[in-house]
Amino acid sequence: MNQKTDSSFTSFKRFLKYAGPWKWQIIKSTIYSIINKLFDIAPEILLGAAVDLVVRKENSFIANLGFESASSQIAILGIITFLIWAFESIFQYLYSISWRNLAQSIEHNIRMDAYKHVQNLNIAWFENKKIGDITSKLNDDVNQLERFLDNGFNSIIQLFVSTIAIGAWFFYISPLVATITILPVPIILIIAFFFQKNLSPRYLAVRDSVGLLNNTIFNNLLGISTIKSFVSENIEYDRIHKLSHNYRTKNNSAIKLSSAFVPVVRMGVLSGFLGTMIVGSYLALNGSIAIGSYSILIFLTQRFLWPFTTLSETVDLFERSMASNKRILDLLQTEYTIKDDKDALEINDFNRDIIFENVDFNYEDNKPLFKNLNFRIRNNSLVGIVGQTGAGKTSIIKLLLRFYDYSGGSISIGKHKIQDIKLKNLRENIGYVSQDIFMFDGTIKENIGYPDIKLNEVKIKKAADLSQCSEFIEKLPDKYDTMIGERGQKLSSGQKQRIAIARAIYKDPPILIFDEATSAIDNETEHLIQLAIKEISKNRTTVVIAHRLSTIRNADNIIVIGNGNVMEEGCHNKLIDDNKNYKKLWDIQTGKYKLN
């Protein structure tokens, strides 16, 4: 079998395995669908019984059941008809709510499982993925799967049931007519298989193209100020137009093939219907079958064959959903590269030295960033890390937080290597103010107190005072209840940085890290934050990565990173006296050294 065809059925098997916890609800929904379909095809049989009653009167099938008078036959026929329609309606209601509730449950669980899984994937994975495409998988693909669960499962079950039940009636009345009627079915199934095999890769291409489109739109909206400042609206419009056109083209390719299914199948239905009508007519005329039986054959033929015309919609829905399902389950099966060892432990005391010993690390193969990196950060000390752009300052922090794992050597907090500490325990005890500030869409106090649900107002105001937030917060109309907008767009860069610092202070961790945390702050505020850092760093280990050397001038120790290792370290005055790299950086920033 073609590998592309295998992928859809393999994806379906993977889905059934995932849906294992809902096995009994699936069975219950299936039973409702089966019973509904049995009642659904019964009216055609009743029509045959009604014709038989009119033609044969006291010799009709109903009369043979003990109802001799015409009025009693009509009465019992009416009662049975009412009950059949009533039960058909009841079970249609039951299967509808059962499948829909099942779809909602699985949709919710698979979205939450996927989101939880994505959150736990390592940073390197995110850096190689497009956020818009991930969003598309968590939303569009999950919704596509829901549509199949709402209608597709039921359609397949009812098609199977109607084929078996009506086929059995046909063979009971006339094996010859049954054979002629059923002959087109294998041909229809072969056609369906052909369409399914060719639709599978087309719909996977559709899902991939819409993921790329969503990602580009998402990024453009994030960078709308840049687009406007460069007056590149038309360029971005053309970019989106090209991606949207590609998505439309991929869809057109799938639509062109799927739309041909019904006309082709309709001819198969026609051949079966003609066979039943012609052969059945001859059999009824020569008395081989009763007129009522002939009526049942005619009525049921269309009910038997016509549902196959909807097979195209079912196949179409199946292929779309399985393409989406594959993307979702592939996401769920992405392995964690950074995770807890089975013997990982929780430690209570993080107020210990942080030791980098012979650490090797590289982002790309054969391009080492660090080679035998060695240094120690004393507990309860204020340490600055400086170096030129690209030297690896931020990478040191990413290794400490285990956003990445090093390839050689060790990083320890006290006597414990960080791989031996549970990730949650490690990260809970490190406060990190990133150079890429992220604000949540909410109030100022919600951003400072994140992720606490029950906010401590006293702690929030203390953190705001220490980070120099209070002076601008108190001037706002709603003060700490001010809504800052998506990504904090109502605040300046400096205000966002100060709130991010307040958030780290509110966390009150034993280890506090500032990564270029004063880069967007004016000189006056920087001076105030320098004083605050001195206060904040008491009784905790504080690491400050700084582009502005004035920020870490009063640090207990300053580590200068370059060429994959420590170039020099010491307090500010010592490094100035040594007259090496740090002195050169200091002179450049203070205007004493001019670049050629």
Side-chain angles (χ1 to χ4, degrees), residues 278-553:
I278 293 171
V279 175
S281 296
Y282 278 112
L283 293 176
L285 288 171
N286 63 27
S288 298
I289 59 174
I291 299 298
S293 297
Y294 172 65
S295 301
I296 292 174
L297 289 176
I298 292 296
F299 292 138
L300 282 180
T301 298
Q302 186 169 357
R303 293 300 302 273
F304 178 72
L305 292 172
W306 191 254
F308 284 99
T309 61
T310 64
L311 193 58
S312 65
E313 296 177 10
T314 305
V315 169
D316 188 78
L317 191 59
F318 175 78
E319 287 305 328
R320 286 180 181 270
S321 62
M322 287 305 105
S324 294
N325 180 67
K326 182 180 185 303
R327 281 162 49 91
I328 301 166
L329 294 183
D330 283 350
L331 179 64
L332 277 169
Q333 291 185 350
T334 304
E335 293 186 1
Y336 302 140
T337 57
I338 296 178
K339 55 187 177 182
D340 287 332
D341 293 334
K342 62 179 181 179
D343 297 324
L345 47 84
E346 290 191 11
I347 62 175
N348 297 320
D349 188 5
F350 280 80
N351 194 10
R352 292 287 183 265
D353 290 0
I354 300 170
I355 307 157
F356 280 64
E357 186 174 5
N358 299 321
V359 172
D360 297 337
F361 176 68
N362 56 280
Y363 288 106
E364 300 179 35
D365 293 338
N366 303 318
K367 290 184 179 181
L369 179 62
F370 299 131
K371 185 69 176 176
N372 295 324
L373 177 65
N374 289 276
F375 64 86
R376 179 186 291 261
I377 298 173
R378 300 288 180 183
N379 69 305
N380 290 334
S381 66
L382 172 60
V383 174
I385 299 177
V386 301
Q388 294 182 338
T389 301
K393 303 183 295 297
T394 298
S395 297
I396 289 173
I397 305 308
K398 289 181 177 180
L399 291 175
L400 179 59
L401 283 160
R402 288 198 70 196
F403 289 169
Y404 292 86
D405 274 338
Y406 45 84
S407 55
S410 67
I411 301 175
S412 304
I413 298 177
K415 64 181 181 178
H416 299 288
K417 293 181 180 179
I418 59 173
Q419 280 92 343
D420 298 332
I421 304 171
K422 288 185 177 181
L423 273 172
K424 186 173 184 291
N425 182 223
L426 174 70
R427 292 172 182 171
E428 278 179 341
N429 286 278
I430 299 176
Y432 179 45
V433 181
S434 169
Q435 57 185 307
D436 299 319
I437 303 299
F438 183 80
M439 294 286 110
F440 297 91
D441 188 6
T443 64
I444 287 177
K445 69 180 180 183
E446 287 170 342
N447 273 273
I448 294 175
Y450 179 83
D452 274 3
I453 296 175
K454 296 180 179 179
L455 299 174
N456 186 319
E457 303 277 352
V458 175
K459 279 183 67 178
I460 286 173
K461 291 183 178 180
K462 182 179 178 181
D465 289 339
L466 285 173
S467 62
Q468 309 302 314
C469 286
S470 301
E471 60 90 13
F472 79 83
I473 294 175
E474 293 296 339
K475 295 176 183 177
L476 297 171
D478 296 322
K479 296 182 172 51
Y480 288 88
D481 292 314
T482 299
M483 297 293 295
I484 64 174
E486 189 176 16
R487 305 183 312 281
Q489 58 190 352
K490 294 181 180 180
L491 302 176
S492 69
S493 297
Q495 289 172 335
K496 285 190 283 188
Q497 278 195 322
R498 281 182 276 176
I499 289 177
I501 293 171
R503 181 190 296 163
I505 296 170
Y506 181 89
K507 185 178 180 181
D508 194 23
I511 300 172
L512 189 55
I513 298 169
F514 297 96
D515 186 0
E516 303 282 9
T518 60
S519 60
I521 294 174
D522 58 73
N523 292 332
E524 181 182 353
T525 306
E526 182 195 6
H527 175 68
L528 293 172
I529 288 181
Q530 286 177 26
L531 298 176
I533 287 176
K534 187 175 182 180
E535 181 67 25
I536 294 164
S537 61
K538 288 180 179 178
N539 301 317
R540 79 173 89 236
T541 305
T542 307
V543 180
V544 180
I545 295 175
H547 173 70
R548 294 181 180 180
L549 300 185
S550 56
T551 308
I552 46 91
R553 180 173 181 173

Side-chain angles (χ1 to χ4, degrees), residues 180-200:
I180 293 171
T181 305
I182 291 172
L183 274 177
V185 173
I187 299 172
I188 292 172
L189 293 177
I190 290 171
I191 293 170
F193 178 80
F194 168 80
F195 277 86
Q196 181 274 328
K197 181 177 68 174
N198 287 278
L199 278 172
S200 180

Side-chain angles (χ1 to χ4, degrees), residues 44-54 60-62 77 292 295-296:
E44 275 70 15
I45 299 173
L46 291 178
L47 287 172
V51 172
D52 186 60
L53 185 156
V54 172
S60 69
F61 172 77
I62 296 178
L77 188 63
S295 301
I296 292 174

